[in-house]
mmCIF file of all heavy atoms in Angstrom:
data_model
loop_
_atom_site.group_PDB
_atom_site.id
_atom_site.type_symbol
_atom_site.label_atom_id
_atom_site.label_comp_id
_atom_site.label_asym_id
_atom_site.label_seq_id
_atom_site.Cartn_x
_atom_site.Cartn_y
_atom_site.Cartn_z
ATOM 1 N N ILE A 118 -12.176 8.694 -29.977
ATOM 2 C CA ILE A 118 -11.588 8.573 -28.632
ATOM 3 C C ILE A 118 -10.226 9.268 -28.593
ATOM 4 O O ILE A 118 -9.370 9.013 -29.445
ATOM 5 C CB ILE A 118 -11.462 7.083 -28.239
ATOM 6 C CG1 ILE A 118 -12.877 6.487 -28.121
ATOM 7 C CG2 ILE A 118 -10.695 6.911 -26.918
ATOM 8 C CD1 ILE A 118 -12.924 5.016 -27.940
ATOM 9 N N GLY A 119 -10.049 10.156 -27.626
ATOM 10 C CA GLY A 119 -8.799 10.911 -27.534
ATOM 11 C C GLY A 119 -7.954 10.462 -26.341
ATOM 12 O O GLY A 119 -8.480 9.892 -25.388
ATOM 13 N N THR A 120 -6.658 10.741 -26.429
ATOM 14 C CA THR A 120 -5.776 10.416 -25.292
ATOM 15 C C THR A 120 -5.365 11.702 -24.586
ATOM 16 O O THR A 120 -4.978 12.673 -25.231
ATOM 17 C CB THR A 120 -4.507 9.675 -25.767
ATOM 18 O OG1 THR A 120 -4.909 8.547 -26.544
ATOM 19 C CG2 THR A 120 -3.682 9.180 -24.578
ATOM 20 N N VAL A 121 -5.457 11.678 -23.272
ATOM 21 C CA VAL A 121 -5.028 12.816 -22.455
ATOM 22 C C VAL A 121 -3.772 12.385 -21.699
ATOM 23 O O VAL A 121 -3.780 11.369 -21.003
ATOM 24 C CB VAL A 121 -6.135 13.210 -21.447
ATOM 25 C CG1 VAL A 121 -5.659 14.309 -20.507
ATOM 26 C CG2 VAL A 121 -7.396 13.645 -22.191
ATOM 27 N N PHE A 122 -2.697 13.156 -21.854
ATOM 28 C CA PHE A 122 -1.441 12.821 -21.181
ATOM 29 C C PHE A 122 -1.262 13.700 -19.956
ATOM 30 O O PHE A 122 -1.413 14.915 -20.031
ATOM 31 C CB PHE A 122 -0.253 13.041 -22.119
ATOM 32 C CG PHE A 122 -0.248 12.084 -23.281
ATOM 33 C CD1 PHE A 122 -0.644 12.490 -24.543
ATOM 34 C CD2 PHE A 122 0.139 10.766 -23.094
ATOM 35 C CE1 PHE A 122 -0.662 11.602 -25.611
ATOM 36 C CE2 PHE A 122 0.131 9.869 -24.153
ATOM 37 C CZ PHE A 122 -0.274 10.291 -25.411
ATOM 38 N N LEU A 123 -0.918 13.062 -18.866
ATOM 39 C CA LEU A 123 -0.602 13.822 -17.655
ATOM 40 C C LEU A 123 0.870 13.580 -17.320
ATOM 41 O O LEU A 123 1.345 12.442 -17.347
ATOM 42 C CB LEU A 123 -1.496 13.378 -16.494
ATOM 43 C CG LEU A 123 -2.992 13.693 -16.669
ATOM 44 C CD1 LEU A 123 -3.802 13.148 -15.497
ATOM 45 C CD2 LEU A 123 -3.223 15.186 -16.778
ATOM 46 N N ILE A 124 1.556 14.678 -17.028
ATOM 47 C CA ILE A 124 2.984 14.593 -16.703
ATOM 48 C C ILE A 124 3.146 14.234 -15.230
ATOM 49 O O ILE A 124 2.480 14.812 -14.379
ATOM 50 C CB ILE A 124 3.676 15.963 -16.952
ATOM 51 C CG1 ILE A 124 3.414 16.459 -18.377
ATOM 52 C CG2 ILE A 124 5.161 15.925 -16.598
ATOM 53 C CD1 ILE A 124 4.253 15.860 -19.447
ATOM 54 N N THR A 125 4.030 13.293 -14.967
ATOM 55 C CA THR A 125 4.246 12.861 -13.588
ATOM 56 C C THR A 125 4.825 13.978 -12.724
ATOM 57 O O THR A 125 5.513 14.874 -13.225
ATOM 58 C CB THR A 125 5.194 11.644 -13.559
ATOM 59 O OG1 THR A 125 5.257 11.146 -12.237
ATOM 60 C CG2 THR A 125 6.587 11.980 -14.005
ATOM 61 N N LYS A 126 4.546 13.896 -11.435
ATOM 62 C CA LYS A 126 5.195 14.821 -10.500
ATOM 63 C C LYS A 126 6.665 14.423 -10.432
ATOM 64 O O LYS A 126 6.970 13.223 -10.422
ATOM 65 C CB LYS A 126 4.579 14.675 -9.109
ATOM 66 C CG LYS A 126 3.262 15.387 -8.952
ATOM 67 C CD LYS A 126 2.823 15.349 -7.500
ATOM 68 C CE LYS A 126 1.428 15.933 -7.386
ATOM 69 N NZ LYS A 126 0.727 15.420 -6.219
ATOM 70 N N PRO A 127 7.584 15.398 -10.331
ATOM 71 C CA PRO A 127 9.011 15.042 -10.321
ATOM 72 C C PRO A 127 9.355 13.952 -9.302
ATOM 73 O O PRO A 127 10.173 13.083 -9.570
ATOM 74 C CB PRO A 127 9.701 16.362 -9.986
ATOM 75 C CG PRO A 127 8.747 17.408 -10.443
ATOM 76 C CD PRO A 127 7.364 16.847 -10.282
ATOM 77 N N LYS A 128 8.692 13.982 -8.131
ATOM 78 C CA LYS A 128 9.076 13.006 -7.095
ATOM 79 C C LYS A 128 8.709 11.564 -7.485
ATOM 80 O O LYS A 128 9.191 10.622 -6.866
ATOM 81 C CB LYS A 128 8.485 13.381 -5.740
ATOM 82 C CG LYS A 128 6.989 13.332 -5.638
ATOM 83 C CD LYS A 128 6.573 13.640 -4.196
ATOM 84 C CE LYS A 128 5.070 13.722 -4.092
ATOM 85 N NZ LYS A 128 4.593 13.947 -2.754
ATOM 86 N N TYR A 129 7.840 11.407 -8.479
ATOM 87 C CA TYR A 129 7.469 10.052 -8.919
ATOM 88 C C TYR A 129 8.103 9.675 -10.258
ATOM 89 O O TYR A 129 7.791 8.639 -10.832
ATOM 90 C CB TYR A 129 5.944 9.938 -9.038
ATOM 91 C CG TYR A 129 5.209 10.155 -7.748
ATOM 92 C CD1 TYR A 129 4.096 10.985 -7.685
ATOM 93 C CD2 TYR A 129 5.624 9.517 -6.573
ATOM 94 C CE1 TYR A 129 3.411 11.181 -6.493
ATOM 95 C CE2 TYR A 129 4.947 9.710 -5.381
ATOM 96 C CZ TYR A 129 3.844 10.545 -5.345
ATOM 97 O OH TYR A 129 3.169 10.729 -4.175
ATOM 98 N N ASN A 130 8.953 10.543 -10.733
ATOM 99 C CA ASN A 130 9.508 10.405 -12.069
ATOM 100 C C ASN A 130 10.169 9.061 -12.350
ATOM 101 O O ASN A 130 10.041 8.489 -13.423
ATOM 102 C CB ASN A 130 10.552 11.519 -12.255
ATOM 103 C CG ASN A 130 10.653 11.938 -13.673
ATOM 104 O OD1 ASN A 130 9.634 11.998 -14.366
ATOM 105 N ND2 ASN A 130 11.848 12.196 -14.128
ATOM 106 N N PHE A 131 10.896 8.563 -11.374
ATOM 107 C CA PHE A 131 11.700 7.348 -11.594
ATOM 108 C C PHE A 131 10.946 6.086 -11.173
ATOM 109 O O PHE A 131 11.474 4.986 -11.261
ATOM 110 C CB PHE A 131 13.008 7.457 -10.791
ATOM 111 C CG PHE A 131 12.749 7.519 -9.313
ATOM 112 C CD1 PHE A 131 12.783 6.375 -8.547
ATOM 113 C CD2 PHE A 131 12.418 8.727 -8.709
ATOM 114 C CE1 PHE A 131 12.502 6.420 -7.191
ATOM 115 C CE2 PHE A 131 12.131 8.783 -7.354
ATOM 116 C CZ PHE A 131 12.172 7.630 -6.602
ATOM 117 N N ILE A 132 9.723 6.257 -10.696
ATOM 118 C CA ILE A 132 9.005 5.084 -10.175
ATOM 119 C C ILE A 132 8.331 4.305 -11.299
ATOM 120 O O ILE A 132 7.618 4.875 -12.118
ATOM 121 C CB ILE A 132 7.940 5.508 -9.138
ATOM 122 C CG1 ILE A 132 8.608 6.219 -7.967
ATOM 123 C CG2 ILE A 132 7.149 4.304 -8.652
ATOM 124 C CD1 ILE A 132 7.650 6.699 -6.903
ATOM 125 N N SER A 133 8.593 3.015 -11.307
ATOM 126 C CA SER A 133 7.899 2.121 -12.237
ATOM 127 C C SER A 133 7.543 0.854 -11.474
ATOM 128 O O SER A 133 8.121 0.585 -10.411
ATOM 129 C CB SER A 133 8.793 1.774 -13.423
ATOM 130 O OG SER A 133 9.873 0.978 -12.972
ATOM 131 N N SER A 134 6.634 0.068 -12.026
ATOM 132 C CA SER A 134 6.273 -1.200 -11.383
ATOM 133 C C SER A 134 7.504 -2.088 -11.279
ATOM 134 O O SER A 134 7.701 -2.780 -10.278
ATOM 135 C CB SER A 134 5.197 -1.910 -12.208
ATOM 136 O OG SER A 134 4.048 -1.108 -12.299
ATOM 137 N N GLY A 135 8.335 -2.054 -12.322
ATOM 138 C CA GLY A 135 9.548 -2.882 -12.341
ATOM 139 C C GLY A 135 10.495 -2.537 -11.205
ATOM 140 O O GLY A 135 11.005 -3.415 -10.510
ATOM 141 N N ILE A 136 10.706 -1.233 -10.992
ATOM 142 C CA ILE A 136 11.600 -0.773 -9.909
ATOM 143 C C ILE A 136 11.049 -1.224 -8.554
ATOM 144 O O ILE A 136 11.785 -1.707 -7.695
ATOM 145 C CB ILE A 136 11.728 0.782 -9.930
ATOM 146 C CG1 ILE A 136 12.438 1.263 -11.188
ATOM 147 C CG2 ILE A 136 12.366 1.319 -8.666
ATOM 148 C CD1 ILE A 136 13.946 1.186 -11.143
ATOM 149 N N VAL A 137 9.734 -1.067 -8.385
ATOM 150 C CA VAL A 137 9.098 -1.450 -7.119
ATOM 151 C C VAL A 137 9.355 -2.936 -6.825
ATOM 152 O O VAL A 137 9.766 -3.323 -5.735
ATOM 153 C CB VAL A 137 7.577 -1.143 -7.164
ATOM 154 C CG1 VAL A 137 6.822 -1.868 -6.066
ATOM 155 C CG2 VAL A 137 7.352 0.359 -7.049
ATOM 156 N N LYS A 138 9.160 -3.776 -7.843
ATOM 157 C CA LYS A 138 9.345 -5.225 -7.631
ATOM 158 C C LYS A 138 10.805 -5.569 -7.364
ATOM 159 O O LYS A 138 11.114 -6.398 -6.512
ATOM 160 C CB LYS A 138 8.855 -5.996 -8.866
ATOM 161 C CG LYS A 138 7.349 -6.045 -8.961
ATOM 162 C CD LYS A 138 6.887 -6.801 -10.177
ATOM 163 C CE LYS A 138 7.140 -6.017 -11.426
ATOM 164 N NZ LYS A 138 6.482 -6.561 -12.609
ATOM 165 N N GLU A 139 11.677 -4.895 -8.121
ATOM 166 C CA GLU A 139 13.109 -5.164 -7.986
ATOM 167 C C GLU A 139 13.589 -4.807 -6.564
ATOM 168 O O GLU A 139 14.228 -5.622 -5.893
ATOM 169 C CB GLU A 139 13.864 -4.325 -9.035
ATOM 170 C CG GLU A 139 15.354 -4.595 -9.151
ATOM 171 C CD GLU A 139 15.671 -5.966 -9.763
ATOM 172 O OE1 GLU A 139 14.793 -6.537 -10.434
ATOM 173 O OE2 GLU A 139 16.791 -6.439 -9.542
ATOM 174 N N VAL A 140 13.244 -3.603 -6.126
ATOM 175 C CA VAL A 140 13.689 -3.148 -4.803
ATOM 176 C C VAL A 140 13.086 -4.042 -3.711
ATOM 177 O O VAL A 140 13.775 -4.468 -2.775
ATOM 178 C CB VAL A 140 13.325 -1.654 -4.581
ATOM 179 C CG1 VAL A 140 13.654 -1.202 -3.169
ATOM 180 C CG2 VAL A 140 14.065 -0.770 -5.594
ATOM 181 N N ALA A 141 11.791 -4.366 -3.857
ATOM 182 C CA ALA A 141 11.123 -5.210 -2.848
ATOM 183 C C ALA A 141 11.762 -6.590 -2.770
ATOM 184 O O ALA A 141 11.840 -7.188 -1.703
ATOM 185 C CB ALA A 141 9.642 -5.339 -3.181
ATOM 186 N N SER A 142 12.235 -7.083 -3.910
ATOM 187 C CA SER A 142 12.782 -8.443 -3.932
ATOM 188 C C SER A 142 14.062 -8.553 -3.106
ATOM 189 O O SER A 142 14.461 -9.641 -2.721
ATOM 190 C CB SER A 142 13.032 -8.895 -5.367
ATOM 191 O OG SER A 142 14.160 -8.227 -5.874
ATOM 192 N N TYR A 143 14.703 -7.399 -2.847
ATOM 193 C CA TYR A 143 15.911 -7.414 -2.007
ATOM 194 C C TYR A 143 15.583 -7.068 -0.555
ATOM 195 O O TYR A 143 16.477 -6.807 0.246
ATOM 196 C CB TYR A 143 16.963 -6.437 -2.569
ATOM 197 C CG TYR A 143 17.491 -6.912 -3.906
ATOM 198 C CD1 TYR A 143 17.133 -6.277 -5.090
ATOM 199 C CD2 TYR A 143 18.324 -8.032 -3.978
ATOM 200 C CE1 TYR A 143 17.593 -6.739 -6.320
ATOM 201 C CE2 TYR A 143 18.791 -8.498 -5.205
ATOM 202 C CZ TYR A 143 18.418 -7.849 -6.364
ATOM 203 O OH TYR A 143 18.870 -8.313 -7.565
ATOM 204 N N GLY A 144 14.278 -7.042 -0.268
ATOM 205 C CA GLY A 144 13.856 -6.803 1.109
ATOM 206 C C GLY A 144 13.955 -5.339 1.520
ATOM 207 O O GLY A 144 13.822 -5.007 2.704
ATOM 208 N N GLU A 145 14.171 -4.450 0.536
ATOM 209 C CA GLU A 145 14.274 -3.012 0.868
ATOM 210 C C GLU A 145 12.880 -2.415 1.022
ATOM 211 O O GLU A 145 11.905 -2.937 0.483
ATOM 212 C CB GLU A 145 15.020 -2.270 -0.247
ATOM 213 C CG GLU A 145 16.499 -2.593 -0.341
ATOM 214 C CD GLU A 145 17.311 -2.129 0.855
ATOM 215 O OE1 GLU A 145 16.940 -1.098 1.464
ATOM 216 O OE2 GLU A 145 18.291 -2.813 1.202
ATOM 217 N N ASP A 146 12.828 -1.289 1.716
ATOM 218 C CA ASP A 146 11.559 -0.607 1.957
ATOM 219 C C ASP A 146 11.066 0.073 0.674
ATOM 220 O O ASP A 146 11.803 0.854 0.068
ATOM 221 C CB ASP A 146 11.784 0.438 3.058
ATOM 222 C CG ASP A 146 10.525 1.224 3.359
ATOM 223 O OD1 ASP A 146 9.424 0.672 3.144
ATOM 224 O OD2 ASP A 146 10.640 2.385 3.799
ATOM 225 N N ILE A 147 9.841 -0.241 0.280
ATOM 226 C CA ILE A 147 9.289 0.386 -0.939
ATOM 227 C C ILE A 147 8.118 1.307 -0.618
ATOM 228 O O ILE A 147 7.370 1.705 -1.510
ATOM 229 C CB ILE A 147 8.846 -0.673 -1.983
ATOM 230 C CG1 ILE A 147 7.873 -1.679 -1.348
ATOM 231 C CG2 ILE A 147 10.034 -1.358 -2.623
ATOM 232 C CD1 ILE A 147 7.014 -2.405 -2.355
ATOM 233 N N SER A 148 7.970 1.647 0.673
ATOM 234 C CA SER A 148 6.776 2.409 1.043
ATOM 235 C C SER A 148 6.746 3.832 0.466
ATOM 236 O O SER A 148 5.695 4.451 0.414
ATOM 237 C CB SER A 148 6.598 2.436 2.565
ATOM 238 O OG SER A 148 7.779 2.886 3.161
ATOM 239 N N LYS A 149 7.909 4.317 -0.014
ATOM 240 C CA LYS A 149 7.901 5.634 -0.673
ATOM 241 C C LYS A 149 7.366 5.529 -2.094
ATOM 242 O O LYS A 149 6.974 6.512 -2.703
ATOM 243 C CB LYS A 149 9.335 6.165 -0.763
ATOM 244 C CG LYS A 149 9.790 6.868 0.471
ATOM 245 C CD LYS A 149 11.042 7.681 0.125
ATOM 246 C CE LYS A 149 11.702 8.161 1.379
ATOM 247 N NZ LYS A 149 13.143 8.049 1.343
ATOM 248 N N PHE A 150 7.410 4.336 -2.648
ATOM 249 C CA PHE A 150 7.079 4.155 -4.068
ATOM 250 C C PHE A 150 5.698 3.545 -4.312
ATOM 251 O O PHE A 150 5.120 3.716 -5.378
ATOM 252 C CB PHE A 150 8.094 3.223 -4.752
ATOM 253 C CG PHE A 150 9.533 3.490 -4.440
ATOM 254 C CD1 PHE A 150 10.440 2.443 -4.352
ATOM 255 C CD2 PHE A 150 9.993 4.786 -4.250
ATOM 256 C CE1 PHE A 150 11.778 2.686 -4.077
ATOM 257 C CE2 PHE A 150 11.325 5.034 -3.977
ATOM 258 C CZ PHE A 150 12.222 3.983 -3.881
#
Side-chain angles (χ1 to χ4, degrees):
I118 295 172
T120 307
V121 175
F122 293 103
L123 294 177
I124 306 280
T125 187
K126 281 188 186 155
K128 65 176 175 177
Y129 298 133
N130 210 38
F131 63 95
I132 300 179
S133 68
S134 300
I136 294 278
V137 164
K138 285 180 288 192
E139 187 70 20
V140 174
S142 73
Y143 293 107
E145 290 294 329
D146 179 27
I147 54 159
S148 53
K149 276 196 192 138
F150 315 146

